[in-house]
Amino acid sequence: MKKIFFIVFISLTFSIFSLLILAMPVDQNGINMLIGAKNSIQLYKEYGDASGLNQAIAQMQLFLSQYTEPTSYIGEAYEILGDAYYLLNNYPQAENAYSMAIKYLPQNTQNYEYSAYSLGYTYMKAGDYTDALKYLSMLYSSSTYGDEAKAIVGGIYFTLGQYNQATSVLDTIISNSWKAWTFYYEGRISFNTGDYAKAQLLFQKVPNYSNDLSVVEPSAYYEAYSFLNMGNVQEAINTASQAIKSYAPTEWTFDLYMILGQSYYENGQYKLAIDIFQNASSIAPTSDKKYEALSAKAWAEYKFNDYSDAISDWENVSNGSTNSDIALSAGINAGSTLMESKSFNQAISFYKQMESKFPSNINQIKLEEGKAYLESGNYQQAMSIFTSLSKLSEPLKDSAIYWLAYTYNLENNYQSAISTLGSLIQTTQSSETRAKAYMLEGDIYAKVSQYSSAVSSYQQAIKVENLSSQNTARYNLGLIYYNNSDYKDAISQFSIIINNRTFDPDLALNAAYYLSQCYVASKDYNSAIATYDWIAKYDFGDLYRSSIYVLKVIAMEKLGLYAQIPSYIDGILKTYPDISTKYDLLYYKADAYMNTGNISNAYSIVSSISSKNMSSDAKGGVFYIEAKYYQSINDLTNAEKYYKIVYMQYPSSIKAPDAAYTLGQLYYSIKDYSNAKDAFFAFVSMFSSNNLVPEAFYYIGLSYENLGQTANAIQVYNSLISKFPTSSYAAQAQNRIAALEKR
């Protein structure tokens, strides 16, 4: 919303010549002075010609020294003088000039209302809200300035935090173009009070009422911001990107790029965030804004594992920003990333350079230097720094004590580490430090397999109101539950992390993977499939993509969804033709065909991929399908060959037990009892936990019977009864023993 100058050359000329008839003391020279001053202002607005403003001021001062009537001319001269001072941002002089204008101008005229409006607007720009409200509220009934004045007053009340007063004024605006400001400011009120859903709806209405970018673009920015705060990241992305594409650049364009970059970042789309923050830095209106964008870009590069560019950008911010806090933070981030890159000596050297640049923050930098020594394995030097800093005041004292405990942990001095952390937990006033201490305590207990103590520490960390520590604690707690087969509790912890995905997208992705494994272990394959789909949606870095499609197909098989698998796999391979698990997926497509009775299609696929690289599980499955195909065409020699390859060369394959058992059944069906018993023996010896083992023992006994080896048969039957007394085959074995003993 900007002050608008309404009087133009033609209307001014007309009004002056009309008034000339009534006010002769202003001669033609005076009229020309008014016209020239007004034209100078118009030129400044068009071309930024400041010299024209100085000339206009000089002309009006000369005019006022020469002419004293009629008052309408004097008022107009002060009005022009006010416009010139306003454009020069000389608000005190502008206020004086506009105040004089409304003293001379007749009330209820357009010029009077304009000067009153300009005076109120100038007071507002100067931060004098009391006088601004006084003069702008005088214009509520004006047909020209009424709604605009209400919009400005509403904005002032909003700025003052007087939301009820703002709303009461804004709700009286009638005209559509200014109604847009009603929705904007009321949206801002809802945004500031945390009602993001209502704010989003209000901001969404603004473009329906106005094309003025000064209200439309900030509305788009805050609409996107509202979506982001509601956790609806995709809508935030859509809103910001659409605004950037649709609207001409304004002072808000930088902010739109920043909110778009932040949305991509929170969505885990780090590469896109990098590109957007780069665009923001290139159009930044000030150097501070440029470094803000570069710092954000560095974080996205860091998350994208592009450490080199992240370090470079942070160094640029540290060396260039005039904001010491931003420069210091960027420098520490650069040094920390150097450590993660294992460039410990470079990090230490960098911190030493920072000490001279930021002398008032030398202890904070020393702390980071100690961490670099610690990570490099120089525990003695690190311990010396941390011990020295632990004697200072908080919060550095607490941080130093925490890192002392961390050093004890790396030295495997767990007792000293736990003792130090216990003292820190009791004395620190920082909830963040307390949470970190509980986290490290839990890590140490887990490291030494004291799981109940680890669980207790992580639970304490969760109770501390620090979302970062809470999520990490829940993740570690979930892993403990998962590794101890407590899938119900693991699912609970991992699910909470996923619900807070935008806080740490990478952690949520890892949690989702383990969540899916919990569902598989619990045989809840539908939930596992839903989790795999969630991972596929948010795995922008393709961390799990190559494996989750295979895992989802396996879960679909568990549910018997064989008919759906071929088309599902075709869709994946169309989107990701070079995915690393391509041949595993093709195997599962063939397996689905086999399970629906289409053995020829299954064989056609596996025969074309049998020489390709794939997992041992899939490789065994390929040979199993080939064996089944040869069995189906009664080529028993090749069937026998491939069944043996499966369980002898790929015993970890999921098809290996089936291959050994099926081969035994094949031999038995053709009355090759000697090979049958050997195949069944291979099955029970290699896959002793398989639920078909009792049946296999029974067939071994039958094979011995058919070979005339009764004693061996009875021995196998007795073994079956002893090992699997509750099996239905145990009763059948007892019957066979009775029958054999009667012979």
Side-chain angles (χ1 to χ4, degrees):
M1 192 187 303
K2 295 181 179 178
K3 182 172 178 287
I4 303 171
F5 299 92
F6 288 95
I7 303 173
V8 297
F9 175 80
I10 296 175
S11 62
L12 177 65
T13 304
F14 177 78
S15 64
I16 289 174
F17 275 104
S18 299
L19 290 169
L20 183 60
I21 300 171
L22 303 173
M24 295 302 294
V26 175
D27 57 17
Q28 185 63 47
N29 185 62
I31 293 172
N32 290 339
M33 290 172 71
L34 288 171
I35 294 171
K38 191 64 182 180
N39 283 343
S40 294
I41 291 174
Q42 292 297 110
L43 285 172
Y44 174 81
K45 288 171 62 182
E46 291 181 29
Y47 305 112
D49 185 0
S51 63
L53 289 177
N54 294 326
Q55 179 181 332
I57 291 170
Q59 281 182 317
M60 289 303 91
Q61 288 173 340
L62 181 60
F63 178 94
L64 290 168
S65 70
Q66 293 179 358
Y67 304 103
T68 58
E69 62 176 9
T71 56
S72 57
Y73 279 106
I74 304 305
E76 194 159 358
Y78 276 117
E79 182 182 281
I80 294 170
L81 191 60
D83 286 349
Y85 281 129
Y86 177 86
L87 287 170
L88 288 172
N89 298 323
N90 189 339
Y91 299 136
Q93 291 280 44
E95 290 163 6
N96 291 334
Y98 289 134
S99 295
M100 293 299 294
I102 62 176
K103 287 181 180 180
Y104 284 98
L105 291 168
Q107 292 188 18
N108 301 320
T109 62
Q110 185 175 359
N111 277 2
Y112 178 87
E113 289 183 351
Y114 172 76
S115 290
Y117 161 82
S118 298
L119 179 57
Y121 198 96
T122 305
Y123 277 128
M124 185 268 293
K125 292 288 286 185
D128 183 352
Y129 296 133
T130 301
D131 283 326
L133 292 171
K134 173 184 174 181
Y135 287 99
L136 290 169
S137 62
M138 291 166 49
L139 299 169
Y140 284 173
S141 60
S142 168
S143 60
T144 304
Y145 298 102
D147 280 351
E148 181 176 2
K150 292 174 185 177
I152 298 171
V153 168
I156 291 173
Y157 280 132
F158 165 77
T159 302
L160 294 172
Q162 298 175 18
Y163 296 154
N164 290 335
Q165 293 93 322
T167 302
S168 65
V169 174
L170 292 166
D171 283 343
T172 64
I173 293 175
I174 299 171
S175 60
N176 282 351
S177 59
W178 294 108
K179 194 79 173 173
W181 289 94
T182 298
F183 294 124
Y184 171 70
Y185 280 122
E186 290 185 353
R188 290 290 305 276
I189 290 169
S190 296
F191 182 91
N192 285 3
T193 55
D195 190 348
Y196 302 118
K198 182 179 178 181
Q200 177 268 316
L201 292 174
L202 289 165
F203 292 132
Q204 198 173 50
K205 293 181 179 180
V206 171
N208 298 329
Y209 289 85
S210 177
N211 294 321
D212 182 359
L213 294 183
S214 65
V215 66
V216 171
E217 284 209 38
S219 295
Y221 169 80
Y222 280 104
E223 183 183 353
Y225 208 159
S226 297
F227 277 127
L228 197 59
N229 285 339
M230 288 190 290
N232 194 340
V233 184
Q234 192 56 53
E235 283 300 323
I237 291 170
N238 294 343
T239 301
S241 59
Q242 186 60 41
I244 290 170
K245 292 176 185 176
S246 303
Y247 304 135
T250 70
E251 62 185 14
W252 283 93
T253 306
F254 170 82
D255 298 281
L256 284 166
Y257 271 112
M258 289 299 291
I259 201 69
L260 178 58
Q262 184 181 348
S263 300
Y264 279 133
Y265 181 90
E266 294 195 14
N267 211 33
Q269 294 174 273
Y270 303 122
K271 183 62 174 69
L272 288 174
I274 292 168
D275 294 339
I276 294 300
F277 287 134
Q278 178 61 46
N279 289 339
S281 70
S282 67
I283 64 166
T286 65
S287 60
D288 284 345
K289 292 290 187 181
K290 175 183 178 181
Y291 290 123
E292 177 188 343
L294 281 179
S295 187
K297 176 172 172 268
W299 274 115
E301 288 162 341
Y302 170 80
K303 298 292 281 187
F304 195 61
N305 295 321
D306 186 354
Y307 290 167
S308 177
D309 283 346
I311 291 167
S312 176
D313 280 334
W314 271 321
E315 286 183 340
N316 285 339
V317 174
S318 183
N319 293 327
S321 177
T322 56
N323 185 314
S324 60
D325 290 337
I326 292 175
L328 175 65
S329 178
I332 288 175
N333 290 337
S336 179
T337 309
L338 282 168
M339 280 194 284
E340 290 195 42
S341 304
K342 309 299 182 185
S343 301
F344 303 118
N345 291 335
Q346 193 175 346
I348 292 167
S349 176
F350 183 77
Y351 285 134
K352 289 187 181 299
Q353 293 174 26
M354 286 183 65
E355 289 173 10
S356 60
K357 184 177 178 181
F358 303 97
S360 60
N361 301 101
I362 190 168
N363 288 328
Q364 185 178 351
I365 298 167
K366 278 286 187 185
L367 181 68
E368 301 302 320
E369 189 180 323
K371 295 177 192 178
Y373 280 118
L374 180 65
E375 292 297 323
S376 71
N378 190 340
Y379 300 148
Q380 184 176 358
Q381 186 64 35
M383 187 81 74
S384 174
I385 292 174
F386 297 145
T387 301
S388 175
L389 294 176
S390 68
K391 299 173 183 177
L392 301 175
S393 58
E394 296 178 354
L396 274 177
K397 172 183 178 181
D398 288 350
S399 294
I401 293 173
Y402 170 85
W403 286 103
L404 272 174
Y406 198 95
T407 308
Y408 286 133
N409 168 49
L410 292 183
E411 290 182 320
N412 299 325
N413 187 349
Y414 304 128
Q415 184 175 353
S416 294
I418 294 294
S419 175
T420 303
L421 289 169
S423 298
L424 179 59
I425 289 168
Q426 295 299 317
T427 60
T428 185
Q429 300 299 309
S430 166
S431 60
E432 182 179 357
T433 300
R434 186 176 299 109
K436 285 176 60 180
Y438 276 126
M439 282 292 300
L440 180 55
E441 189 178 65
D443 293 346
I444 293 170
Y445 281 131
K447 190 176 179 181
V448 297
S449 302
Q450 295 183 25
Y451 297 119
S452 60
S453 295
V455 167
S456 177
S457 294
Y458 290 138
Q459 288 174 338
Q460 289 297 323
I462 290 170
K463 292 178 182 178
V464 180
E465 294 184 2
N466 182 285
L467 190 55
S468 177
S469 296
Q470 285 178 339
N471 275 354
T472 306
R474 289 189 187 282
Y475 180 74
N476 291 348
L477 193 55
L479 289 179
I480 289 177
Y481 289 139
Y482 173 77
N483 290 327
N484 286 278
S485 302
D486 183 356
Y487 302 121
K488 180 180 179 182
D489 284 334
I491 287 169
S492 175
Q493 299 302 326
F494 292 138
S495 297
I496 293 172
I497 298 169
I498 291 171
N499 291 335
N500 293 317
R501 186 191 78 85
T502 55
F503 189 83
D504 190 337
D506 296 335
L507 186 68
L509 203 60
N510 293 336
Y513 175 78
Y514 282 105
L515 176 63
S516 69
Q517 298 309 97
C518 288
Y519 284 133
V520 169
S522 304
K523 301 188 185 311
D524 183 357
Y525 299 113
N526 283 311
S527 294
I529 287 172
T531 308
Y532 293 137
D533 288 340
W534 187 95
I535 294 172
K537 180 179 179 180
Y538 293 112
D539 187 13
F540 302 111
D542 294 339
L543 182 64
Y544 291 107
R545 191 173 304 281
S546 62
S547 61
I548 59 165
Y549 291 133
V550 172
L551 293 172
K552 179 178 175 179
V553 170
I554 293 172
M556 292 172 73
E557 284 196 335
K558 295 290 186 182
L559 293 172
L561 304 176
Y562 301 113
Q564 300 176 24
I565 290 173
S567 60
Y568 172 70
I569 291 174
D570 287 343
I572 294 168
L573 296 180
K574 183 178 180 180
T575 306
Y576 303 101
D578 298 320
I579 193 168
S580 62
T581 50
K582 173 181 179 178
Y583 296 111
D584 280 55
L585 287 168
L586 286 172
Y587 154 66
Y588 282 106
K589 180 180 178 180
D591 193 50
Y593 279 132
M594 187 182 72
N595 280 288
T596 54
N598 195 338
I599 190 67
S600 60
N601 271 4
Y603 177 72
S604 175
I605 293 172
V606 298
S607 62
S608 68
I609 65 172
S610 60
S611 62
K612 305 295 184 180
N613 290 326
M614 60 188 82
S615 67
S616 60
D617 190 53
K619 196 69 174 179
V622 164
F623 287 119
Y624 180 78
I625 291 175
E626 290 186 299
K628 293 291 285 186
Y629 170 75
Y630 285 119
Q631 184 178 355
S632 72
I633 62 173
N634 209 33
D635 184 348
L636 301 186
T637 300
N638 274 320
E640 174 188 7
K641 169 187 172 182
Y642 286 110
Y643 281 134
K644 285 184 175 179
I645 288 175
V646 176
Y647 70 81
M648 293 179 69
Q649 295 185 26
Y650 303 97
S652 62
S653 168
I654 195 171
K655 294 297 186 181
D658 291 343
Y661 183 81
T662 304
L663 182 58
Q665 288 284 8
L666 174 60
Y667 284 135
Y668 191 88
S669 68
I670 61 174
K671 300 182 180 181
D672 185 351
Y673 301 119
S674 179
N675 278 324
K677 70 173 175 59
D678 290 341
F680 284 125
F681 265 128
F683 173 78
V684 299
S685 63
M686 295 179 69
F687 313 107
S688 57
S689 61
N690 192 282
N691 59 8
L692 291 176
V693 167
E695 184 177 349
F697 269 115
Y698 183 69
Y699 275 103
I700 292 172
L702 291 178
S703 296
Y704 274 127
E705 278 194 59
N706 284 292
L707 289 169
Q709 300 177 24
T710 302
N712 285 342
I714 292 173
Q715 183 180 0
V716 170
Y717 290 141
N718 280 325
S719 180
L720 169 58
I721 294 167
S722 173
K723 292 180 179 180
F724 307 100
T726 60
S727 168
S728 62
Y729 286 98
Q732 294 185 54
Q734 189 65 58
N735 292 336
R736 293 307 308 153
I737 290 172
L740 290 172
E741 287 178 343
K742 289 180 180 179
R743 293 181 182 177

